[in-house]
Amino acid sequence: MPTKLDPLTFLTTCGLVAACSCPTWSAHASPEAQSADSTWTHYSSVELFMEGSMLMEEEFWHEAERVWAYASGTRPKNRVLKYRQAVCLHNIGEDWPKTVSVLQEVVNAPLTLRYDPFNPNQKLPPLDAWLWLASAEHRMGHFEEARGHVDSFLAKAGEKHGSMEWASKILAEVRFAERQLVAPTNASVAPMEVNSESNETHPVLTADGRTLFFSSNRGRSNGSNHGRVDPNSKAHYYDIYKTEMGPDSAWSDPEYLNIGVRHHAKVVGSDAFGQKLVVLDDDGWTHELKTTQRWERGWTVAEPLYLDKTIPNEGEIVFFPQKDRLIASLKRRKGEGGFDLYESSLDEHGRWSKLKSLGSRVNTWGDEITPFVAADGQTVFFASNGLQSMGGHDIYRTTRNAAGGWTEPEHLGSPINSVDDDMAFVIGAKGEVGYFATRRNLTRGDLELYEVDMNGGGVLEQELVVLSLDATELESADQPEFLVVRDVETGDVVQRVEKQNTDDVFNLILPTGRDYIVESLSEGEAEDAGTGDNAERSTAFSRRLSLSEELEPEVIEVPFEDVFLTEEVEGMEDGSAEVQELAFVVTAPKPALEVGGTDEAPLSAESKEHAAEEPEQTEETTDAIEDASSSTVEEALKEDVAVERAEEKAEAETEEVADTSVDVSSEQNEDTAKPQATEKQGDDKSAVVQRSSVEPKVESAPIAPLALSDVGSGQALLAVQLYSGQVHSGRMDLTSVVDHVKNAATQGTPVIRIEGSASDGPSSRAGGNLELASSRAMDVYLRLVGSLKEAGLEQGRDYRTVVVRRVQPDGDTPASFRGEGVHPASFQYVRVDVDLP
């Protein structure tokens, strides 16, 4: 019940029985607390009245409810005592059926307009009892009953009654809830398996969506909190727990975090990847924000959070992913009312600015609480009971607009929101699955965590990729202290990344469709980066990342050396079976090649013949590499293959290969490929040409067939090409290749050759057409390596990979590639060969 509209507050007519609109710690009372309490045996009726009133003033609702229940038990016909008990039950919000039952007893006899909240001998309850009853019925979804009891109030109250606005709000919430329930969003929700019989609230999620922190007042598994209860709720104090998502997408058993807080410990926020937490230490009287961080043996003892003298260490504070801005939920005298949201940012000297309100669009007379800043750094989720809602606190989102303000809050709709309290919404960088706390379960009445699948409903402003660079294979002396990410186009620093406390991992959060330079710097240099200081930096690693616009939001795990030490590795392992159909390109300066060296690694005699067949194409590729040395895409080739590739390619260009198992001349291509291309065109759905034991695949139009030469029985061949030179490698069905590699791996160590090609036409890309060719090849590479890992095959151990890219003139397309219906730009393709040496 909103404080400003509560007719039973000190500011209006109630005085000592003010109702708090902000969430309170709620719990199931212990059996001892449910039994008759003898504490007040010797209290007079006036003393009981004063005791209960003071407890309500301090918002100790559980204790106050027990006082009024005891008093009502001694005087069962006194409906004023029952009324006060019902007000407490309403604010606790755990047992709506009981709340309705008590209020029905209150309204079954006359009510009065002349209610004196300070009179311990008051005989009649106030007319507002109808509104308390209507509000409780609304929380149970009994909309018609709620309307009827609001009408009962309106029939007796005059236009100047202090609770008229509250009555209007109840009716508005009923109407809004009905509309939302009949037109829900595409999202689907379900309770999480980590819930217990106690309360679970305030989830905090890492950007990769794999670690979830939350607060719960459950009994600890080792019994260490037995007997330690909140004197108000008579339930255990809240603790902080952590759960992690496993490979099967199931959450692990919650792990208790011992951070040295003796009373309520509520997790408020964390950094992007769960290395540091902001927690609220609440003993019932005082509330203090503290911080704790992960270390090798667990978590440090929580210490007071101090940012600046202008920013109180109370309420709730959450940080933006780059830690240079924050959002705070605070109750201040100059606010709009109740808890409001404020923002602050770091200046160039490392000082936090004064708190600034998010404005009247966001803040209301009610409470705006549980803020969460999404990984895109632009979207803020929060809960409010002052905006148009379905009932209680609902969840909203707002984003920063072009003028630097905040947009009109957007209600997330049903089923995320319900007629009861919904709050603390969090979501990962992919924007697909979120989590929140809710009271919607009437059979339990307490808070529990729900999972929400957005089902395609975009709630983030940008599509993001989380790139996790694992440096565990590097020696400690070789590991950088910081990585700094710069936007290639603007030169601005977009992210400073510190290695995780306990894992040698660097986590990057990057919007797609952009190019970046990633540099390794020392701590001091990382702090100076982006300040305009042009002093020479001791950069040990510097590479270019190019994220395609077609890249879907994803979490990608890559060994650090695959990105930065490209001359020593064979392929870039994504490390995650979840990566599917991604276009991910890493660009970096090209190592110097020997004379005759190319950007291709040979596989076998057949591969050499392919190279010898098109010498002018290799020259074009080599020229492109030299012209764009700082922006080309690095193949991830291991050292042994890297050494072989220059030597064997040079040999292929100067010597005639005598030992060939397959004639791949243009004449044979034309003879052997055209009939198969014509056969496939009969269905107008051809895109894939395959040989040997690999069954042909069918793709949808407008893909055209790509005529290629026959290959031997020891090889598999897969290729795809589109009209207008547009290659969508995501349409390639790699199932047959995976099966072929699995079979070949039982006979030896197969070598997979992935080739992406682009024409030499005009390009607006920063990396030119070579980057386009690389993007195509790497898209297939990531998908294929991920699928093989799911199949139990490890790169380097079970198979080897070579990634090749070409830029070549359309005019040089061999005649064998110009079958009927094939676009002239036949070098706009991706192909995969598998060879068993």
Side-chain angles (χ1 to χ4, degrees):
M1 169 56 203
T3 302
K4 281 193 173 181
L5 297 185
D6 184 352
L8 303 177
T9 65
F10 281 112
L11 299 178
T12 54
T13 62
C14 173
L16 296 175
V17 288
C20 176
S21 59
C22 62
T24 60
W25 296 109
S26 59
H28 291 296
S30 64
E32 294 81 2
Q34 295 173 359
S35 63
D37 198 324
S38 60
T39 304
W40 306 288
T41 303
H42 303 293
Y43 278 43
S44 67
S45 60
V46 174
E47 290 173 331
L48 282 173
F49 176 86
M50 295 302 297
E51 179 76 7
S53 298
M54 286 189 293
L55 288 168
M56 294 178 76
E57 179 183 0
E58 297 294 339
E59 299 178 1
F60 292 128
W61 302 110
H62 292 85
E63 184 74 0
E65 190 274 333
R66 289 194 291 271
V67 170
W68 298 121
Y70 176 82
S72 179
T74 61
R75 301 166 64 186
K77 294 185 178 181
N78 189 319
R79 291 183 295 124
V80 174
L81 299 177
K82 293 183 183 296
Y83 168 73
R84 294 195 171 218
Q85 179 190 4
V87 170
C88 294
L89 288 170
H90 193 287
N91 280 279
I92 293 171
E94 289 182 349
D95 194 339
W96 294 117
K98 181 177 180 180
T99 306
V100 169
S101 176
V102 174
L103 284 168
Q104 285 175 338
E105 293 185 49
V106 174
V107 300
N108 279 340
L111 304 176
T112 181
L113 288 169
R114 300 180 178 276
Y115 178 72
D116 182 0
F118 302 101
N119 182 6
N121 297 313
Q122 175 72 39
K123 300 299 184 184
L124 297 177
L127 194 64
D128 304 87
W130 287 116
L131 297 183
W132 287 104
L133 177 58
S135 178
E137 289 169 334
H138 172 220
R139 299 293 186 92
M140 296 179 65
H142 299 167
F143 298 142
E144 290 304 319
E145 290 87 340
R147 282 195 182 93
H149 291 136
V150 171
D151 290 341
S152 298
F153 168 83
L154 296 175
K156 297 292 182 67
E159 293 182 0
K160 296 183 179 181
H161 194 284
S163 297
M164 290 298 291
E165 190 175 353
W166 181 21
S168 298
K169 185 176 188 299
I170 293 174
L171 292 176
E173 288 180 345
V174 168
R175 290 192 296 268
F176 186 70
E178 288 176 327
R179 293 198 301 270
Q180 295 296 315
L181 291 172
V182 299
T185 67
N186 291 330
S188 56
V189 302
M192 296 187 67
E193 293 186 0
V194 299
N195 290 320
S196 69
E197 292 301 317
S198 299
N199 287 272
E200 282 72 41
T201 184
H202 286 74
V204 171
L205 186 69
T206 54
D208 57 11
R210 296 176 178 175
T211 303
L212 184 75
F213 302 91
F214 64 93
S215 298
S216 175
N217 64 348
R218 66 183 68 188
R220 298 174 192 166
S221 59
N222 61 5
S224 58
N225 64 342
H226 179 70
R228 294 190 65 253
V229 298
D230 182 337
N232 173 39
S233 65
K234 300 297 184 183
H236 292 303
Y237 287 109
Y238 276 76
D239 291 321
I240 296 175
Y241 290 84
K242 180 184 77 170
T243 178
E244 295 180 325
M245 181 175 289
D248 57 353
S249 298
W251 290 100
S252 64
D253 292 336
E255 172 192 352
Y256 162 65
L257 304 187
N258 185 0
I259 60 172
V261 174
R262 294 186 55 81
H263 301 102
H264 291 298
K266 178 176 67 174
V267 60
V268 171
S270 78
D271 60 4
F273 292 93
Q275 297 297 296
K276 297 180 181 179
L277 300 180
V278 178
V279 301
L280 183 65
D281 184 350
D282 175 14
D283 65 2
W285 293 93
T286 59
H287 317 272
E288 183 180 23
L289 288 176
K290 295 184 176 181
T291 60
T292 179
Q293 62 182 10
R294 186 182 173 196
W295 69 303
E296 294 178 354
R297 297 184 181 180
W299 292 81
T300 61
V301 174
E303 298 179 348
L305 170 67
Y306 178 79
L307 299 175
D308 189 271
K309 62 181 180 180
T310 63
I311 301 178
N313 68 335
E314 60 185 22
E316 296 175 315
I317 291 180
V318 294
F319 293 90
F320 283 70
Q322 306 310 320
K323 304 177 186 177
D324 57 351
R325 294 165 57 201
L326 63 81
I327 298 290
S329 174
L330 295 168
K331 182 180 287 187
R332 310 185 81 185
R333 288 180 300 169
K334 296 182 179 180
E336 299 291 333
F339 284 84
D340 290 334
L341 299 184
Y342 300 86
E343 61 180 326
S344 176
S345 61
L346 276 175
D347 63 19
E348 59 184 4
H349 302 293
R351 293 191 296 261
W352 289 96
S353 64
K354 291 184 178 180
L355 291 173
K356 176 185 176 182
S357 171
L358 265 59
S360 57
R361 281 184 176 180
V362 175
N363 292 321
T364 68
W365 52 262
D367 290 297
E368 283 66 52
I369 57 171
T370 62
F372 172 76
V373 181
D376 64 1
Q378 298 184 24
T379 310
V380 174
F381 298 91
F382 65 97
S384 174
N385 63 355
L387 296 166
Q388 186 179 43
S389 74
M390 297 174 62
H393 285 84
D394 277 5
I395 299 169
Y396 304 81
R397 68 183 289 270
T398 182
T399 60
R400 183 176 289 278
N401 57 33
W406 295 88
T407 59
E408 194 75 29
E410 174 189 349
H411 188 270
L412 293 193
S414 172
I416 295 177
N417 288 310
S418 69
V419 294
D420 214 326
D421 286 326
D422 307 288
M423 62 189 74
F425 180 89
V426 297
I427 195 168
K430 295 171 66 173
E432 297 175 353
V433 179
Y435 306 89
F436 63 99
T438 181
R439 291 188 188 277
R440 67 188 63 194
N441 192 332
L442 291 177
T443 62
R444 289 183 48 180
D446 51 11
L447 285 164
E448 55 184 349
L449 301 181
Y450 267 58
E451 178 178 293
V452 52
D453 189 333
M454 301 308 297
N455 292 325
V459 292
L460 302 186
E461 289 298 290
Q462 295 188 51
E463 292 192 337
L464 305 170
V465 165
V466 174
L467 184 62
S468 182
L469 305 180
D470 187 348
T472 54
E473 295 301 320
L474 294 182
E475 296 293 335
S476 298
D478 296 331
Q479 294 180 3
E481 299 178 39
F482 283 84
L483 293 182
V484 173
V485 185
R486 302 175 184 273
D487 189 292
V488 169
E489 184 175 349
T490 65
D492 295 337
V493 173
V494 297
Q495 193 171 4
R496 296 174 179 84
V497 184
E498 182 180 2
K499 185 173 62 177
Q500 289 191 7
N501 299 351
T502 56
D503 302 318
D504 296 333
V505 174
F506 295 88
N507 290 302
L508 284 63
I509 305 174
L510 301 173
T512 60
R514 300 183 189 177
D515 290 354
Y516 306 92
I517 296 295
V518 183
E519 301 173 316
S520 63
L521 302 176
S522 67
E523 182 174 359
E525 291 168 338
E527 293 175 353
D528 294 337
T531 63
D533 185 358
N534 294 321
E536 184 177 350
R537 296 191 297 271
S538 57
T539 302
F541 304 106
S542 179
R543 287 296 184 264
R544 178 171 177 143
L545 286 173
S546 180
L547 303 186
S548 168
E549 294 181 356
E550 291 77 25
L551 188 63
E552 296 292 331
E554 190 54 87
V555 178
I556 305 174
E557 297 177 351
V558 185
F560 187 92
E561 59 271 22
D562 280 10
V563 176
F564 289 95
L565 307 180
T566 53
E567 72 278 8
E568 298 181 1
V569 294
E570 177 182 74
M572 185 167 61
E573 293 184 54
D574 59 60
S576 169
E578 297 178 352
V579 179
Q580 296 292 333
E581 301 189 19
L582 300 179
F584 172 72
V585 180
V586 179
T587 63
K590 174 70 177 151
L593 295 175
E594 299 178 10
V595 177
T598 72
D599 201 354
E600 176 180 356
L603 298 173
S604 59
E606 289 83 359
S607 302
K608 294 178 183 178
E609 286 196 34
H610 280 289
E613 177 190 3
E614 301 159 0
E616 72 281 0
Q617 300 163 8
T618 302
E619 294 174 2
E620 184 69 28
T621 304
T622 305
D623 292 341
I625 295 172
E626 294 173 351
D627 293 341
S629 61
S630 63
S631 62
T632 58
V633 178
E634 288 294 339
E635 302 170 7
L637 301 175
K638 285 190 176 175
E639 187 173 4
D640 57 339
V641 179
V643 172
E644 292 176 0
R645 69 179 184 182
E647 297 176 351
E648 293 190 27
K649 186 58 183 179
E651 180 183 355
E653 292 181 348
T654 57
E655 300 180 5
E656 179 178 357
V657 180
D659 182 16
T660 59
S661 59
V662 180
D663 184 359
V664 291
S665 64
S666 60
E667 290 78 15
Q668 182 180 5
N669 288 345
E670 188 170 5
D671 293 340
T672 60
K674 279 185 178 181
Q676 298 198 25
T678 303
E679 179 182 352
K680 286 177 174 285
Q681 285 175 337
D683 295 333
D684 196 27
K685 294 184 178 180
S686 322
V688 178
V689 179
Q690 298 180 324
R691 301 290 189 269
S692 186
S693 60
V694 183
E695 293 297 326
K697 295 292 180 182
V698 178
E699 301 287 347
S700 59
I703 301 178
L706 175 61
L708 294 172
S709 61
D710 279 327
V711 295
S713 59
Q715 292 182 308
L717 175 64
L718 176 69
V720 64
Q721 178 190 28
L722 299 192
Y723 285 114
S724 303
Q726 296 300 311
V727 176
H728 291 286
S729 52
R731 298 189 182 186
M732 297 178 71
D733 186 349
L734 300 177
T735 305
S736 57
V737 177
V738 172
D739 293 340
H740 188 87
V741 173
K742 288 169 61 179
N743 180 63
T746 63
Q747 308 171 45
T749 305
V751 180
I752 305 172
R753 183 178 184 274
I754 303 172
E755 179 178 327
S757 178
S759 71
D760 65 347
S763 174
S764 60
R765 287 175 172 262
N769 289 320
L770 193 60
E771 178 184 311
L772 177 60
S774 300
S775 175
R776 291 167 176 168
M778 292 306 296
D779 178 24
V780 175
Y781 169 85
L782 288 173
R783 295 175 54 217
L784 184 55
V785 171
S787 298
L788 289 172
K789 188 168 185 178
E790 285 185 331
L793 300 183
E794 292 292 337
Q795 187 174 225
R797 183 193 70 188
D798 301 307
Y799 65 92
R800 293 164 56 195
T801 308
V802 178
V803 180
V804 181
R805 67 261 200 271
R806 295 179 179 275
V807 175
Q808 37 209 351
D810 290 342
D812 291 341
T813 304
S816 60
F817 280 73
R818 297 177 180 172
E820 182 180 355
V822 180
H823 190 274
S826 292
F827 277 122
Q828 301 278 7
Y829 67 85
V830 177
R831 62 178 283 177
V832 179
D833 300 271
V834 180
D835 184 25
L836 187 60

